[in-house]
Amino acid sequence: MTARTTTAIRLTPRVGVVMVLAAFLGVVAFFWPFVVAPGKFGSHYAPPLIFGVLLILVLCVVLSEIAEGGIDSKALAMLGVLSAVNAALRPLGAGTAGIETVFFVLVLAGRVYGPGFGFTLGCTSLFASALITGGVGPWMPYQMFGCAFVGMLAGFLPHATGRREVLLLAVYGSLSGYLFGFLLNLSFWPFALDPNSSIAYLPGLPFTEQWQRYIAFDIATSLGWDTGRAVTNFICILLAGPAVLTTFRRAARRARFRAPVRFATPERLRRSGPEQG
């Protein structure tokens, strides 16, 4: 008896290579303050805009490769439903003490349906949410990319079952809440404070000093907000995780993603019904 897979989107070797390159470009885009000084391209705001456009192009390439690699109509329908659910959940918490209600569904779906599905769901969820809440801006590509990797990494977590799996996902959800905030702050840190501040970005400093300034900035300005996100993820996954995981896996078994298509032979057609004269 063969084990049934719940992977909704198949990752071909070519898609894997594209996602690795996307990860590298994403790291460069997030850590641009340590790579490109503001004003390098003629404007202090040019680097985040340039890297934001680059992230959009990279996401388009990755999504097109994933679609070509194998996403069927059932996986596409599931993607649409969960994207709509996440887009509806996000306004319920965002903006209040860092509470974010979008991540726990993203983590659980990435766990059940695989890294390719998690990556795609992270992109589509944030895009749909931005359209609904009017949150479209230069920060949106960074949010999409950050959520895409939260969902993707959930699909790569080690094997676990029962309570250990739920606890593993809850801990990962909590850590991803901190990581998401840490990365997003990098995109605007050079413009957030007076240059004379001891935690502001200062072009020309050695990497170690620059890094210490950013760590101090992140702790001083975002630690409380990120903690709210991390605690929300942990509690939501711990409480709702077992039921949601069961629902997702039941849906995956019934959908039978990427099941092989078999055509009936003429003999079988004749046996199954009366002959047509």
Side-chain angles (χ1 to χ4, degrees):
M1 182 177 179
T2 59
R4 291 185 178 179
T5 178
T6 58
T7 302
I9 298 177
R10 182 170 57 93
L11 292 182
T12 63
R14 190 172 71 173
V15 174
V17 172
V18 171
M19 292 187 72
V20 170
L21 295 176
F24 173 76
L25 291 175
V27 170
V28 173
F30 279 112
F31 285 85
W32 72 265
F34 302 99
V35 180
V36 180
K40 189 75 173 180
F41 300 109
S43 171
H44 287 284
Y45 298 96
L49 294 177
I50 292 174
F51 284 119
V53 173
L54 178 62
L55 287 181
I56 290 292
L57 296 176
V58 169
L59 289 174
C60 290
V61 171
V62 174
L63 294 180
S64 65
E65 289 289 341
I66 288 176
E68 185 178 350
I71 177 171
D72 59 18
S73 58
K74 291 174 287 188
L76 191 62
M78 180 66 71
L79 179 66
V81 170
L82 293 183
S83 297
V85 169
N86 264 350
L89 285 175
R90 194 179 184 209
L92 299 179
T96 306
I99 297 175
E100 292 274 5
T101 51
V102 68
F103 284 90
F104 86 97
V105 174
L106 179 60
V107 170
L108 297 176
R111 172 67 172 182
V112 174
Y113 298 126
F117 189 92
F119 185 96
T120 309
L121 180 62
C123 295
T124 55
S125 295
L126 263 292
F127 182 75
S129 173
L131 294 180
I132 292 175
T133 61
V136 178
W139 56 84
M140 188 181 72
Y142 295 92
Q143 291 179 336
M144 291 173 61
F145 212 87
C147 283
F149 275 91
V150 169
M152 183 189 70
L153 292 176
F156 287 122
L157 291 176
H159 176 74
T161 57
R163 294 182 179 179
R164 292 182 59 186
E165 181 183 32
V166 176
L167 183 60
L168 172 67
L169 293 174
V171 172
Y172 169 74
S174 181
L175 294 177
S176 67
Y178 284 109
L179 179 62
F180 181 81
F182 183 85
L183 292 177
L184 263 293
N185 289 340
L186 281 169
S187 64
F188 64 86
W189 169 48
F191 320 112
L193 298 172
D194 184 344
N196 296 322
S197 172
S198 60
I199 60 175
Y201 176 78
L202 188 61
L205 285 182
F207 175 82
T208 53
E209 294 184 31
Q210 203 79 275
W211 183 256
Q212 291 173 359
R213 281 173 170 255
Y214 178 69
I215 296 297
F217 167 81
D218 186 68
I219 293 175
T221 62
S222 301
L223 183 61
W225 188 276
D226 294 341
T227 299
R229 183 189 299 111
V231 171
T232 302
N233 293 346
F234 187 88
I235 293 176
C236 287
I237 294 175
L238 205 62
L239 296 180
V244 176
L245 286 172
T246 300
T247 302
F248 283 172
R249 284 176 173 142
R250 184 183 297 117
R253 287 194 299 269
R254 293 183 177 180
R256 298 184 62 196
F257 297 116
R258 298 185 291 107
V261 178
R262 296 176 181 175
F263 295 96
T265 61
E267 293 183 1
R268 290 182 178 178
L269 289 175
R270 287 194 296 269
R271 292 176 185 176
S272 61
E275 293 186 1
Q276 300 294 329

